[in-house]
Amino acid sequence: MIAIETNGLTKQYGESVALSDLSVTIPTGTVYGFLGPNGAGKTTTMRILATLLKPTHGTAHIMGASIENRSAVTKHIGYLPETPPLYDELTGREQLEYIAGLREIPIEKATERIDRLATALSLIDDLDDRIASYSKGMKQKAAFIQAQLHDPAVLFLDEPTSGLDPRAARTMRTMIDDLAASGKTVFLSTHILPVVEEHADVVGVLNEGRLVAEGEPMALVQSAESGDKQSLEDVFLSITREPPRGMERAAPEPQHE
Amino acid sequence: MSESVRLGTQLGWTEFVRTCREIRSDTAKVVLLVGALLFSLLPLSLFSYVFLQARDEISIAIPLTPELRGGAVGFLWLFIAFISASRIAQNEHTPDHIDLLRSTVPDRAIVVGILLAETLRTGAYVAPILGLITIVLAYGFASPLLLVTIPLTVVLLFLSTIALGAVCGFTAALLVTRVRVIAQYKTILSFVIAIVFFGGIMLNNVTTLFSWAVFGQLPIAWLLDLALLGTPVIVVPSYAVIGTAVSIGLLLGGVLLTTRLATRLWSDVPVDHSKPKSDRSEPHTVASSPDGALHTARQPVPLWTDSIAADRIGTVSLLRIRRNPSLVWFLIFPLFMFSVFLGNIAVTTGIEAALQPLPIIIAIAVPWFLCAATSLNPFGDLGAVRPALLTSGIGGSTYLQGLSLPSRTIGVPVVVIGVVGSGLIAGHPLLTIAAIGGIGLVLILVGNAIAAGVGTVFPRLSATSIAGDREVVPPSMIATVVYTIPIVLCASIAAVTALSSTTVQQGVALLIGTVIPALLEILAIEAASIVAAPAPLFEAAGATITTLSPTSVWVGGYILPLVLLVVCGLIGRRIAIDRIDTAVIE
């Protein structure tokens, strides 16, 4: 089954093109590594797929539901934005119960999932502390749990390991693998290329709003033109390198990523 | 020191330019500022005209007395110092990117920058008025010296005042950082201090507990002698010198002391005023509570709804305000004005007279406050949580329902008990009390919808203008005004009708049947006689109003405003739901 399908997805801000003609098809159970330099359009793409932004042109479907229909899409997705969406005034547990409540998850079921996921991410002992006292990594863990409380079929993760210590980052990567193994689809945006190389089934590279390469990580490395490319990082740098001075560039994306 | 002044001047000017750009980007704020300025300049211009016409006929060759010095400068100096201290303590004590600044320039330069920025902000507001006064006086007294002395006096006054305010403000901020109890109750403490200060002023205005002469004994008040050098007013030159020296001394001392306080403040780790871990009950007893941690934390306030999502939204809205009262600080000032208004009546005419409008104030102010607190800036209140809410699948209707729960749960009993209690004590008839209570209940019913409708049309998403306190995103000024106008206007008309329908009938008849025709007649004399043509129609309408039956007056003065409020609520609800359902994150 197809989890994510986009056709000619384009987003323009006036004359500036943030995303141009993106067409991808991602089957269920896939970890899709979404790469690109700053301002390439990764966050714009994720926001469009999460129904938080309307495309200028093109269509997209998540688990068969059009992104035009927010209520149909949102039950299938979990979204972890780059900035953890948490209230400082609440404790971690209150925040997670809040989001579970918005998803109409009964409290017993919510508590079970919160405890299980928090234990896996070593956040259980801090759940009753105020989020204002959390470190960046703890906030990231809480937001990661929050994104998958309702057991979504598709997870959009924007820099999920940002701010995590090595042990927590490894745990999260393992959880991503487990999610894919259980049939979930993970749309993973990150700058940490070894993570993508190790965990992604398919990699898409976005540059200046265009999808400039797509394929399995190993295949991308092997198909690189130059024989001295040794890693995904080399391929990424090669694909997304700055054009020579004087060459035309697409207009810069009018937002930060 | 000179290096700090040079660098601080750059910092202060940059901060001032940022403030100007921030104001310029908010059209509503510009309109309000220009309106307020015109409101001040127009009567001042009229007064200036009269002064220039009559300057040869009046004698102002009088000596400056302590009363004059105290009233004109001494009291003003204390007032600005208090406002300045409040601003610095709450928002302006730590500039943006303080770590970058501290690793680049000395702390003293940063302090100079803060003081200069505050001085420039204050100066910018009064510059047009000050300019007009200076020019009029210099021209009127044919004294070019005033072009120097008046601006110099104002600059010295502002700098010394803000330096004193900075010492007080930084001290307060340091106490908040270091003392757990103060950190925990800072909003309540701020409110109490404001009540005491403004209440003291009000009391002094009414009872003249302290003569203005008391403030005139402050050497800083002697700056008035500097300002009026070169006029027929009899000044004491030595006072002008002392006033100048004292203001400069206060400025220098203020900078030195503030620098010490600021260094401590910026180096401190704030105390954690949440409950220490050791004080908590077993953490997992909360988790194992059958109703969940949110339900437990919300106690003792119940929220009645069948929707889990609405319950959670209402609960979180309530908890956030309870744990961070500064979220509703923007609503405190109008409530404070109500308190001052009542206090003023109580002091001047007795407690019984103050109780008369109390039921009305409760019926309007309580719903106004509660509904605005949760619903006037829905998108801004969500902050970073907005993506999580929008992708949670709940609709705008559920979200609005959730926001309405706290105001209904708390508002209904407060309005009923407050209006009935104060109404009975004030001696109002039962029908009047019921009618006023009805106004409060209608407001609670429709207030959230009006607030959310206005707040989603005029949202404020960023707290960048509130330096050092980024967790608070108050509603936009225009949203607050647009929300307040229909509520206060309609509810006030209905309330006055409930109190005395005859007064409303006579008042409206006077306005329509007499005042408007009279104005049209005056305009006709100045412009064209055609303007006066509709005057007889208004007079006839006024006469008709006086003959209306009491029932008709009640329908027009009480029912109609409430119906209008309900219509506003329905429109607001539709707008809010549409905007929330289709919200995007650009």
Side-chain angles (χ1 to χ4, degrees):
Chain A
M1 190 182 174
I2 303 302
I4 302 170
E5 185 174 25
T6 72
N7 283 303
L9 215 52
T10 300
K11 181 65 185 177
Q12 286 177 258
Y13 294 96
E15 294 296 308
S16 304
V17 180
L19 185 65
S20 176
D21 198 27
L22 178 72
S23 297
V24 294
T25 303
I26 303 170
T28 53
T30 304
V31 176
Y32 190 91
F34 201 46
L35 304 179
N38 293 330
K42 300 189 299 296
T43 297
T44 299
T45 307
M46 281 199 155
R47 284 182 178 169
I48 291 174
L49 294 177
T51 74
L52 296 173
L53 196 57
K54 292 199 181 305
T56 312
H57 305 293
T59 60
H61 290 80
I62 311 293
M63 302 301 289
S66 167
I67 56 165
E68 297 288 322
N69 186 349
R70 175 175 283 169
S71 60
V73 169
T74 50
K75 63 184 174 194
H76 296 298
I77 66 167
Y79 177 44
L80 170 63
E82 198 170 359
T83 306
L86 308 167
Y87 284 126
D88 278 354
E89 295 89 357
L90 302 185
T91 66
R93 184 178 295 283
E94 288 166 355
Q95 170 76 33
L96 296 171
E97 280 185 11
Y98 169 58
I99 296 296
L102 296 184
R103 300 273 187 186
E104 299 279 348
I105 301 171
I107 188 67
E108 304 79 22
K109 201 169 177 182
T111 304
E112 181 273 318
R113 285 188 190 167
I114 290 166
D115 285 348
R116 178 165 48 80
L117 291 166
T119 304
L121 281 166
S122 305
L123 192 66
I124 189 75
D125 290 337
D126 303 301
L127 268 190
D128 296 306
D129 291 342
R130 294 271 175 93
I131 289 168
S133 69
Y134 279 15
S135 68
K136 193 181 174 194
M138 288 158 78
K139 286 182 179 174
Q140 195 73 0
K141 289 178 190 177
F144 182 64
I145 295 170
Q146 177 173 284
Q148 51 173 316
L149 269 179
H150 56 299
D151 199 22
V154 179
L155 262 174
F156 293 100
L157 306 177
D158 200 347
E159 296 289 352
T161 53
S162 169
L164 294 182
D165 60 64
R167 187 182 301 279
R170 168 164 289 193
T171 307
M172 196 174 282
R173 292 201 302 269
T174 307
M175 288 176 83
I176 290 171
D177 283 342
D178 292 344
L179 285 167
S182 65
K184 313 291 182 199
T185 305
V186 180
F187 193 90
L188 174 67
S189 167
T190 180
H191 289 298
I192 306 173
L193 298 184
V195 172
V196 176
E197 195 166 13
E198 187 182 346
H199 298 275
D201 302 306
V202 182
V203 173
V205 182
L206 203 64
N207 191 32
E208 295 181 348
R210 290 186 173 277
L211 190 70
V212 291
E214 190 183 36
E216 292 177 16
M218 285 309 296
L220 272 185
V221 174
Q222 285 164 7
S223 67
E225 287 177 12
S226 170
D228 58 354
K229 302 291 181 287
Q230 297 296 313
S231 67
L232 189 61
E233 186 174 354
D234 296 323
V235 176
F236 175 83
L237 292 173
S238 168
I239 293 172
T240 61
R241 72 180 164 215
E242 296 265 329
R245 194 179 290 267
M247 280 185 68
E248 275 190 22
R249 289 184 56 139
E253 190 177 356
Q255 60 178 343
H256 301 292
E257 287 208 296
Chain B
M1 187 75 173
S2 63
E3 180 72 356
S4 293
V5 170
R6 188 180 64 79
L7 294 168
T9 305
Q10 285 181 19
L11 292 176
W13 180 252
T14 307
E15 280 298 307
F16 175 65
V17 169
R18 286 183 62 204
T19 305
C20 292
R21 288 180 180 169
E22 188 263 331
I23 291 172
R24 212 167 51 194
S25 67
D26 187 341
T27 311
K29 200 176 267 186
V30 172
V31 169
L32 284 173
L33 281 175
V34 170
L37 188 62
L38 288 177
F39 189 73
S40 309
L41 279 178
L42 285 176
L44 188 63
S45 302
L46 191 67
F47 181 77
S48 301
Y49 176 76
V50 172
F51 166 73
L52 290 175
Q53 293 298 314
R55 69 183 188 276
D56 296 330
E57 296 163 25
I58 55 173
S59 170
I60 55 168
I62 52 169
L64 275 184
T65 61
E67 282 83 1
L68 284 171
R69 291 188 185 99
V73 179
F75 171 71
L76 184 69
W77 183 78
L78 275 179
F79 184 80
I80 300 175
F82 179 80
I83 299 294
S84 173
S86 305
R87 278 176 54 82
I88 288 171
Q90 285 180 41
N91 300 323
E92 306 294 339
H93 54 72
T94 305
D96 292 339
H97 312 300
I98 184 65
D99 292 337
L100 170 69
L101 292 179
R102 292 195 78 197
S103 58
T104 310
V105 298
D107 285 353
R108 186 174 294 159
I110 302 173
V111 167
V112 170
I114 291 172
L115 297 187
L116 185 65
E118 281 291 281
T119 306
L120 288 170
R121 287 180 194 123
T122 314
Y125 286 119
V126 299
I129 297 167
L130 178 70
L132 179 64
I133 293 172
T134 306
I135 290 167
V136 167
L137 289 180
Y139 177 74
F141 293 129
S143 172
L145 183 63
L146 290 176
L147 295 173
V148 177
T149 55
I150 293 179
L152 178 65
T153 303
V154 173
V155 168
L156 288 172
L157 183 76
F158 281 177
L159 280 171
S160 59
T161 307
I162 289 167
L164 176 71
V167 172
C168 300
F170 270 93
T171 305
L174 198 60
L175 287 172
V176 170
T177 308
R178 291 190 168 185
V179 183
R180 189 187 300 275
V181 176
I182 293 178
Q184 204 164 0
Y185 300 107
K186 63 179 178 181
T187 304
I188 297 166
L189 286 171
S190 307
F191 190 63
V192 170
I193 291 169
I195 288 279
V196 168
F197 184 81
F198 288 104
I201 291 173
M202 187 194 71
L203 206 63
N204 198 44
N205 280 341
V206 176
T207 63
T208 55
L209 202 61
F210 297 105
S211 158
W212 292 120
V214 174
F215 300 109
Q217 303 302 328
L218 296 169
I220 200 75
W222 302 349
L223 276 174
L224 189 60
D225 294 76
L226 172 67
L228 296 178
L229 279 174
T231 68
V233 177
I234 301 163
V235 300
V236 183
S238 60
Y239 274 27
V241 174
I242 294 170
T244 304
V246 167
S247 61
I248 292 171
L250 274 171
L251 173 64
L252 295 176
V255 168
L256 292 174
L257 199 52
T258 304
T259 304
R260 293 177 73 94
L261 291 165
T263 302
R264 291 187 182 183
L265 176 72
W266 295 333
S267 306
D268 264 5
V269 177
V271 292
D272 176 12
H273 62 269
S274 59
K275 219 171 176 182
K277 265 188 174 177
S278 56
D279 292 354
R280 292 194 191 115
S281 54
E282 192 61 34
H284 298 294
T285 56
V286 176
S288 60
S289 160
D291 297 320
L294 267 180
H295 184 270
T296 308
R298 176 181 87 199
Q299 297 305 321
V301 180
L303 299 178
W304 293 285
T305 174
D306 294 335
S307 163
I308 298 177
D311 176 274
R312 297 295 186 273
I313 290 161
T315 302
V316 166
S317 185
L318 192 67
L319 281 181
R320 291 186 70 214
I321 293 170
R322 195 192 285 172
R323 292 175 180 177
N324 184 7
S326 60
L327 288 170
V328 292
W329 179 249
F330 72 100
L331 297 170
I332 298 290
F333 187 72
L335 285 186
F336 171 75
M337 294 308 291
F338 275 125
S339 312
V340 169
F341 171 65
L342 275 186
N344 220 342
I345 294 174
V347 170
T348 49
T349 59
I351 194 77
E352 283 178 14
L355 283 172
Q356 293 297 315
L358 191 57
I360 298 177
I361 289 177
I362 291 172
I364 299 176
V366 170
W368 176 87
F369 176 84
L370 291 173
C371 296
T374 57
S375 309
L376 194 49
N377 192 18
F379 292 142
D381 288 341
L382 282 169
V385 183
R386 206 152 49 114
L389 183 105
L390 295 179
T391 57
S392 69
I394 69 153
S397 171
T398 309
Y399 187 58
L400 194 54
Q401 185 194 350
L403 291 182
S404 307
L405 290 174
S407 47
R408 288 178 188 176
T409 307
I410 298 168
V412 170
V414 170
V415 164
V416 170
I417 294 169
V419 169
V420 171
S422 60
L424 288 175
I425 294 168
H428 292 305
L430 285 178
L431 181 65
T432 304
I433 295 172
I436 294 171
I439 296 168
L441 295 178
V442 168
L443 285 180
I444 286 173
L445 197 68
V446 301
N448 288 97
I450 297 175
V454 172
T456 49
V457 173
F458 304 106
R460 180 167 177 169
L461 305 175
S462 151
T464 47
S465 62
I466 304 176
D469 199 359
R470 295 188 170 283
E471 58 198 321
V472 179
V473 185
S476 68
M477 200 180 284
I478 193 161
T480 310
V481 171
V482 173
Y483 162 71
T484 303
I485 286 173
I487 286 184
V488 171
L489 202 63
C490 292
S492 300
I493 292 170
V496 175
T497 306
L499 269 184
S500 170
S501 59
T502 317
T503 306
V504 172
Q505 187 177 17
Q506 289 171 348
V508 174
L510 184 74
L511 178 72
I512 294 178
T514 307
V515 176
I516 293 178
L519 286 174
L520 290 173
E521 297 287 352
I522 293 168
L523 277 176
I525 295 166
E526 293 292 326
S529 58
I530 188 73
V531 178
L537 292 175
F538 282 102
E539 285 167 355
T544 308
I545 290 168
T546 53
T547 62
L548 286 175
S549 68
T551 310
S552 303
V553 175
W554 265 85
V555 169
Y558 183 80
I559 304 289
L560 190 62
L562 295 189
V563 169
L564 276 175
L565 279 173
V566 173
V567 170
C568 288
L570 291 172
I571 295 170
R573 177 181 161 77
R574 190 67 263 156
I575 292 172
I577 290 173
D578 283 348
R579 296 230 166 206
I580 293 166
D581 283 343
T582 58
V584 295
I585 297 178
E586 294 287 350

